[in-house]
Amino acid sequence: DSGVTQTPKHLITATGQRVTLRCSPRSGDLSVYWYQQSLDQGLQFLIQYYNGEERAKGNILERFSAQQFPDLHSELNLSSLELGDSALYFCASSRTGLDAYEQYFGPGTRLTVT
Amino acid sequence: AQSVAQPEDQVNVAEGNPLTVKCTYSVSGNPYLFWYVQYPNRGLQFLLKYITGDNLVKGSYGFEAEFNKSQTSFHLKKPSALVSDSALYFCAVRDLGGGFKTIFGAGTRLFVKA
């Protein structure tokens, strides 16, 4: 158990809908990362937050947004969902935002868009 | 732009034999290099990292990796494979000159046969 929790585990929704994925980092970790894992695209970095502030942005669509709250939990919002958004979404956390620290991954949220 | 390549989609090895999972990288500055493992229906788990210092890095579960700057490689190795090592392995790089993004390779599936 990495200490990173993600809810929900599974999510099934229809095209055009909006969903929110939630992540709680390990105790004491200040940085949160979001990743999308799909069969054809592999593991794609979406966005990173450090202590409430956006730190880095990857291949995140404009339909997607995220935030990190004062208690350090984070939410990833996905809107106007398309079939291609079906994937595993992982949250990870690290002690700080510094490059040297490894990331600890949550179990993921499996999103299915029908 | 930074990138990571894992040239083999799959590696097959017999239990008890040594294993190598290959990784090469391209960065503009000095790299921080990581290996992660993913078991079915689980998030990624950190195995080991190279930051600086000794080119041979030892990690969890008996794995080690060798950093080779001239060949820009960071191959994962284990002297004696176990069936339980069968999983998906990801190499990742953070480029000190490329912001705070972590780039993951496409992954290599390791099959260890009894």
Side-chain angles (χ1 to χ4, degrees):
Chain A
D1 184 1
S2 66
V4 179
T5 60
Q6 288 187 248
T7 56
K9 282 190 176 179
H10 302 278
L11 200 49
I12 301 174
T13 189
T15 54
Q17 295 298 306
R18 172 189 168 96
V19 297
T20 297
L21 313 183
R22 183 188 168 101
C23 167
S24 293
R26 288 189 321 159
S27 177
D29 283 0
L30 299 177
S31 205
V32 168
Y33 310 75
W34 285 99
Y35 293 89
Q36 180 192 60
Q37 186 179 33
S38 60
L39 285 175
D40 56 343
Q41 294 286 327
L43 192 65
Q44 298 287 319
F45 167 70
L46 296 179
I47 197 163
Q48 178 197 357
Y49 281 83
Y50 172 68
N51 206 19
E53 302 282 330
E54 182 182 306
R55 172 64 67 91
K57 223 169 190 177
N59 302 321
I60 188 166
L61 300 172
E62 285 192 10
R63 301 183 284 109
F64 296 0
S65 65
Q67 54 183 327
Q68 186 180 27
F69 295 87
D71 66 353
L72 302 177
H73 91 272
S74 178
E75 293 181 356
L76 178 67
N77 300 296
L78 314 176
S79 61
S80 302
L81 285 168
E82 302 175 358
L83 295 177
D85 297 327
S86 296
L88 259 175
Y89 290 85
F90 287 108
C91 166
S93 71
S94 66
R95 189 62 64 190
T96 76
L98 296 178
D99 299 325
Y101 284 91
E102 60 273 19
Q103 298 171 34
Y104 291 85
F105 283 73
T109 293
R110 184 173 293 280
L111 173 67
T112 303
V113 182
T114 61
Chain B
Q2 59 191 95
S3 64
V4 176
Q6 293 181 243
E8 301 155 316
D9 290 337
Q10 185 171 310
V11 170
N12 297 310
V13 65
E15 188 174 36
N17 283 0
L19 69 88
T20 298
V21 182
K22 295 179 181 177
C23 171
T24 59
Y25 64 90
S26 174
V27 299
S28 57
N30 291 320
Y32 285 167
L33 294 156
F34 303 82
W35 275 102
Y36 291 85
V37 60
Q38 185 179 26
Y39 297 100
N41 301 314
R42 302 283 297 275
L44 280 70
Q45 295 178 35
F46 168 73
L47 276 179
L48 51 79
K49 66 181 177 183
Y50 172 82
I51 303 300
T52 187
D54 194 352
N55 290 341
L56 186 63
V57 179
K58 294 190 183 296
S60 307
Y61 312 120
F63 283 94
E64 58 190 28
E66 187 167 11
F67 172 65
N68 187 317
K69 188 172 184 177
S70 62
Q71 297 186 4
T72 62
S73 67
F74 189 56
H75 300 333
L76 180 70
K77 300 182 180 186
K78 187 173 182 181
S80 179
L82 299 173
V83 172
S84 57
D85 292 330
S86 299
L88 188 56
Y89 290 81
F90 290 94
C91 180
V93 64
R94 298 195 83 175
D95 178 1
L96 301 190
F100 295 94
K101 299 177 188 178
T102 300
I103 303 298
F104 283 80
T108 297
R109 191 165 296 281
L110 173 67
F111 284 102
V112 181
K113 191 173 182 180

